[in-house]
Amino acid sequence: WPFYLPMALFIPPTHAIVHKELNLLYQFWIHTEAVKSIGPLEYVLNTASHHRVHHGANRYCLDKNYAGVLIIWDRMFGTFEAERDSGIVYGLVDQPQFWNPVKHQLFYYGKVIEKARSMTNWTDFFFAFVKGPGWFPGTARLGDITFVEENPVREKFEVPVSSFLHFYTITHFLLSFIAVDFVSKSMELMSQPVSILLALYILWSLTNIGLLYENSSWAWPSEMIRCTVTLLLINQLAVVFALPAYLMKAMFTGSALLSSVVLAHRMTSYKGGKQE
């Protein structure tokens, strides 16, 4: 978003915000494999076929098809690549192996900093931030992509979990969804500190879901603390979740007890394994 700020000198911010939202809405339909081609419009619009290439980790897909709505910009600046019949492997070259949404947002910044710190002079240190993700000294601006396999073989990251966990996480995801809807509709009526705290609470809830699916050692302790905090603030949060306070108390009391039981079981298993 910092790169959009100079537009405020020429374009009214309200116009820019509407344009940005329309751009995002358009991109919903292009994230699919169901649509193969839309005929001649493929030459002008960013389509599902073009966007599949953008998300590919195959060698020919790297740094291609950046378009939001119009693919003509990629055609003009040399970053266009048509979809091939060989099949696309989706993801990043350095594919994250976790479900933590906060960590996902910060993951690649860490990779860039790691690369910058490996440089031997200040010029290359700076270039590590402004040139392509595959760039290293001695390569072109976007880097040398020949080290990437043409058709990489990649197993799906999936930690085995119980069916009960799906029920638990879906329940709390729906509660988070209701909370997001409340915050978005009531933003003008809330003070800024309250809206920020609610946003952080929702982020905490969704992050815990990711940690649970990773089977992280932090998942159940964090979930127990979250449920306890919710119970302490139940009268205020019941409005956010649009549910009766007694129902919220029952749900989060059960969730806190479940978290405690799972945590106690794991601690007992850990101590027993350590003694053996």
Side-chain angles (χ1 to χ4, degrees):
W1 62 265
F3 299 103
Y4 294 149
L5 291 180
M7 290 197 307
L9 299 173
F10 310 99
I11 301 171
T14 52
H15 291 43
I17 291 171
V18 171
H19 178 273
K20 175 179 176 294
E21 294 306 313
L22 291 174
N23 182 297
L24 289 174
L25 285 171
Y26 175 86
Q27 291 182 54
F28 272 102
W29 83 270
I30 62 177
H31 288 86
T32 180
E33 292 187 324
V35 179
K36 302 304 179 184
S37 172
I38 58 172
L41 291 177
E42 296 278 342
Y43 291 99
V44 180
L45 297 175
N46 186 22
T47 65
S49 176
H50 300 329
H51 205 59
R52 287 193 289 270
V53 173
H54 173 76
H55 282 291
N58 307 57
R59 186 188 303 167
Y60 84 91
C61 298
L62 301 183
D63 302 312
K64 301 296 182 182
N65 300 358
Y66 292 103
V69 176
L70 300 174
I71 201 65
I72 56 174
W73 307 114
D74 287 291
R75 294 182 184 276
M76 289 169 59
F77 291 101
T79 53
F80 173 75
E81 188 70 42
E83 185 177 16
R84 302 178 187 177
D85 295 330
S86 56
I88 294 178
V89 176
Y90 300 109
L92 302 175
V93 174
D94 296 304
Q95 185 69 7
Q97 299 293 301
F98 47 81
W99 294 114
N100 184 335
V102 175
K103 194 175 178 181
H104 267 287
Q105 293 298 318
L106 302 174
F107 167 78
Y108 217 84
Y109 292 107
K111 287 289 183 181
V112 173
I113 292 171
E114 181 183 319
K115 180 170 73 171
R117 293 180 64 183
S118 71
M119 299 301 164
T120 57
N121 58 71
W122 286 106
T123 301
D124 290 339
F125 178 88
F126 174 74
F127 283 159
F129 291 97
V130 298
K131 291 194 174 184
W135 176 85
F136 278 92
T139 66
R141 181 179 65 86
L142 294 179
D144 179 11
I145 63 173
T146 58
F147 73 94
V148 178
E149 296 180 48
E150 185 58 58
N151 294 296
V153 177
R154 179 176 293 165
E155 292 186 10
K156 183 184 294 185
F157 174 69
E158 189 173 13
V159 178
V161 296
S162 68
S163 299
F164 176 78
L165 183 65
H166 295 318
F167 174 78
Y168 181 90
T169 54
I170 288 172
T171 301
H172 284 276
F173 177 80
L174 290 175
L175 289 172
S176 298
F177 184 84
I178 294 170
V180 169
D181 183 64
F182 173 86
V183 171
S184 62
K185 289 180 179 178
S186 309
M187 188 71 73
E188 295 181 357
L189 304 176
M190 293 186 294
S191 65
Q192 189 175 58
V194 171
S195 61
I196 291 174
L197 286 172
L198 282 174
L200 290 173
Y201 174 82
I202 294 167
L203 180 61
W204 185 11
S205 303
L206 296 174
T207 299
N208 278 2
I209 292 174
L211 293 175
L212 287 169
Y213 277 114
E214 288 179 35
N215 200 20
S216 168
S217 59
W218 291 100
W220 288 109
S222 179
E223 188 65 3
M224 183 178 66
I225 295 170
R226 185 184 73 89
C227 293
T228 303
V229 169
T230 305
L231 287 170
L232 293 173
L233 301 173
I234 198 68
N235 292 326
Q236 292 81 5
L237 290 175
V239 178
V240 175
F241 291 118
L243 293 171
Y246 73 87
L247 183 58
M248 294 297 301
K249 287 180 181 178
M251 292 178 64
F252 279 94
T253 299
S255 297
L257 289 173
L258 174 64
S259 301
S260 302
V261 170
V262 174
L263 186 57
H265 174 72
R266 291 194 172 187
M267 291 178 66
T268 303
S269 299
Y270 174 76
K271 290 180 179 178
K274 196 171 183 181
Q275 288 176 355
E276 292 177 5

